[in-house]
Amino acid sequence: MTKIAYELKDQIACLTIQSPPANALSGALLEQLNERLEQIEEEGQAKAVVISGEGRFFSAGADIKEFTGYQHASEYESLATAGQKVFDRVEHFSIPVIAAIHGAALGGGLELAMSCHIRLVTENAKLGLPEMNLGIIPGFAGTQRLPRHIGNARAYEMILTAEPISGQQAADWGLANHVVTEEELLPRAMELANKITVKSKPGIKEVMHLVPYANKDQFANGVTEEAKSFGRVFGSDDAKEGVTAFIEKRKPNFQDK
């Protein structure tokens, strides 16, 4: 049964979570998400990814029912590690991943969204990590990614109170890039992705490689890698075309080489 629909639209890989009624993140769904990412990389045609949820929610969280059969701490640790690996792959994907969030992005749903590179939210969206209400804690790297986006103090508040925030508050706190209406959500996400796909793929990949250094407190290593990447990109055919087009005052015709 399809849980992550995939369609390629003009170099944009559109992934849609289809797990009604709440788009819960089951183990099978996470496995299929990983397979879709692998498929996108193997095909090599996309320059951006847009992830959205079908129905009323982006994703209301992990499938709690799957947890009830576990008896040992090691089983829960393995569960968390498996989810973390998938979301880590999203964060370190070779092309940008855009999350289009409507309705609820809670628990694992928010953890997935936080692993994406760009987030658009609707005005009525609710984003939160409610695990403490169940006597547990976030397990898919929520305690690590949330502070990176909004700082430690606000992360403590969100996690410990388990209270969600609105789409507007998420944008105010730096957790979302743009706030839009529900009708605008997917068109705006595709518009943003299209602005990326007209750029050169070698340059896109180098930027995706470089920016994470800033999150690792490795500025010196990051600038060293940036210089190497700059050398690789500047020697590409697309760079030559881009510079020539600039001199000739026309739009560049990139060939992704």
Side-chain angles (χ1 to χ4, degrees):
M1 178 180 178
T2 300
K3 295 181 179 295
I4 302 284
Y6 167 43
E7 184 178 3
L8 184 66
K9 298 180 180 179
D10 298 325
Q11 296 184 298
I12 303 170
C14 300
L15 300 181
T16 307
I17 305 171
Q18 298 179 333
S19 182
N23 288 333
L25 303 180
S26 64
L29 188 147
L30 292 176
E31 183 178 345
Q32 190 167 88
L33 173 58
N34 192 58
E35 291 171 354
R36 293 302 194 198
L37 295 173
E38 187 171 335
Q39 179 182 356
I40 291 166
E41 286 197 318
E42 287 179 351
E43 291 176 350
Q45 298 180 45
K47 289 186 179 181
V49 180
V50 172
I51 299 181
S52 62
E54 186 175 78
R56 295 171 53 207
F57 303 112
F58 177 76
S59 172
D63 189 348
I64 300 298
K65 293 180 180 178
E66 285 194 347
F67 302 172
T68 57
Y70 298 151
Q71 299 180 0
H72 304 290
S74 60
E75 294 176 290
Y76 290 104
E77 182 179 349
S78 296
L79 172 71
T81 300
Q84 289 172 1
K85 286 182 178 179
V86 177
F87 292 173
D88 191 62
R89 182 168 192 176
V90 174
E91 180 176 348
H92 295 96
F93 207 51
S94 58
I95 56 177
V97 182
I98 301 169
I101 304 165
H102 75 291
L106 303 174
L110 179 56
E111 288 172 307
L112 169 58
M114 289 192 295
S115 69
C116 297
H117 307 105
I118 299 170
R119 283 164 295 283
L120 281 72
V121 297
T122 60
E123 300 164 315
N124 63 349
K126 296 295 181 184
L127 295 80
L129 297 174
E131 286 85 351
M132 292 288 286
N133 286 334
L134 304 177
I136 60 176
I137 64 171
F140 294 159
T143 65
Q144 302 305 298
R145 286 197 174 96
L146 187 59
R148 289 193 337 203
H149 292 299
I150 66 175
N152 287 1
R154 285 171 171 164
Y156 278 129
E157 179 180 344
M158 278 189 67
I159 296 170
L160 293 172
T161 65
E163 293 181 354
I165 60 175
S166 68
Q168 184 59 59
Q169 192 169 5
D172 292 342
W173 283 6
L175 190 54
N177 296 65
H178 304 283
V179 184
V180 299
T181 65
E182 194 151 347
E183 293 74 22
E184 294 173 326
L185 180 62
L186 283 177
R188 285 286 298 276
M190 295 297 288
E191 178 186 0
L192 181 56
N194 273 312
K195 289 181 178 179
I196 295 170
T197 61
V198 297
K199 305 301 189 293
S200 167
K201 196 167 188 177
I204 292 171
K205 287 191 172 184
E206 294 295 353
V207 170
M208 300 309 296
H209 166 67
L210 289 168
V211 170
Y213 277 93
N215 295 329
K216 299 175 183 177
D217 195 25
Q218 296 182 6
F219 183 81
N221 291 337
V223 294
T224 298
E225 286 296 313
E226 184 178 89
K228 294 178 182 178
S229 293
F230 185 79
R232 288 192 292 267
V233 170
F234 218 87
S236 70
D237 292 343
D238 278 351
K240 295 172 185 175
E241 164 63 12
V243 172
T244 301
F246 176 79
I247 294 172
E248 296 176 354
K249 297 182 180 180
R250 61 175 174 83
K251 288 186 177 181
N253 181 24
F254 293 129
Q255 301 297 314
D256 298 330
K257 298 179 181 178

